[in-house]
Amino acid sequence: MNVTPLKLTDAFVLEPVVHGDHRGFFMESYNDLLFKQHGIAYNFIQDNQSLSAEAGVLRGLHYQLNPKAQTKLIRVLTGAIYDVIVDIRKSSPTFGQWVGVILSEHNHRQLLVPKGFAHGFCTLVPNTQVLYKVDEYYSPENDRGILWNDPALGIDWPTSNPTLSDKDQRHPLLKDAEMNFD
């Protein structure tokens, strides 16, 4: 597995070894021992899956407050997404900075999103399915978000008119968001 650190500390792109032939392919998408050898040691306890029927569906920017913050391991089963993370750790030298990565069924990349980051993605093609592992259960009382198009962040999304949930349309700006990450 190829592990590439991103400019935001503790975030990584993971590229598994893909064995392909005329039948298709095989890969290990998760191997606890291999992850630990790369210094990635999380106890993932739940898998979540989403389907977005159209291109331009934007989900995010989401996170959970401590003590229910989540580390996420994101991958695409079918389709493609532009996946974005924002560092919301107040004492981090990269606070308020973001990184975007294309994840697809073809490139097999995964994105490790540590606690203290807001996460969101925009589908690039119809019928995109995203699977992600988390190391903490969903906690409605700790669920928070940041507005997807906050001008202070300046995220270069692949659409200016996304399909959004009601919840994602009402998130606060970064400067007004509740955060408890040091």
Side-chain angles (χ1 to χ4, degrees):
M1 180 165 294
N2 192 18
V3 178
T4 306
L6 296 173
K7 74 174 187 174
L8 305 178
T9 307
D10 301 323
F12 299 93
V13 170
L14 309 166
E15 296 179 77
V17 175
V18 179
H19 305 277
D21 62 22
H22 67 280
R23 300 167 299 162
F25 73 89
F26 171 84
M27 68 177 205
E28 281 187 354
S29 61
Y30 181 76
N31 179 315
D32 188 61
L33 182 61
L34 186 60
F35 275 52
K36 285 178 180 169
Q37 289 173 354
H38 286 281
I40 302 169
Y42 297 99
N43 181 30
F44 292 110
I45 59 172
Q46 179 177 312
D47 283 356
N48 301 318
Q49 186 171 342
S50 71
L51 167 68
S52 298
E54 302 172 2
V57 170
L58 196 150
R59 299 175 187 263
L61 298 160
H62 303 146
Y63 60 96
Q64 287 187 181
L65 295 173
N66 282 317
K68 298 294 182 178
Q70 295 176 318
T71 297
K72 299 175 182 176
L73 181 61
I74 316 291
R75 71 184 181 107
V76 171
L77 299 175
T78 59
I81 62 174
Y82 184 64
D83 206 345
V84 172
I85 59 173
V86 179
D87 188 345
I88 57 172
R89 301 169 298 176
K90 292 178 183 174
S91 61
S92 171
T94 56
F95 174 79
Q97 294 181 28
W98 63 275
V99 170
V101 178
I102 292 177
L103 305 179
S104 77
E105 67 182 290
H106 301 293
N107 68 20
H108 306 287
R109 289 180 180 159
Q110 299 179 76
L111 179 63
L112 182 79
V113 183
K115 293 171 174 65
F117 285 76
H119 171 256
F121 64 85
C122 183
T123 59
L124 301 174
V125 297
N127 297 314
T128 294
Q129 291 191 54
V130 177
L131 176 72
Y132 56 102
K133 295 183 167 306
V134 294
D135 68 348
E136 182 60 64
Y137 296 109
Y138 175 67
S139 172
E141 60 274 6
N142 291 286
D143 187 29
R144 299 293 187 277
I146 298 168
L147 192 62
W148 69 279
N149 62 349
D150 182 341
L153 296 175
I155 297 172
D156 188 18
W157 293 105
T159 181
S160 58
N161 189 27
T163 302
L164 297 161
S165 70
D166 290 341
K167 176 179 123 177
D168 288 347
Q169 292 178 48
R170 295 189 308 266
H171 289 309
L173 299 173
L174 176 67
K175 68 180 181 69
D176 301 318
E178 182 180 0
M179 295 171 276
N180 64 357
F181 306 102
D182 292 325

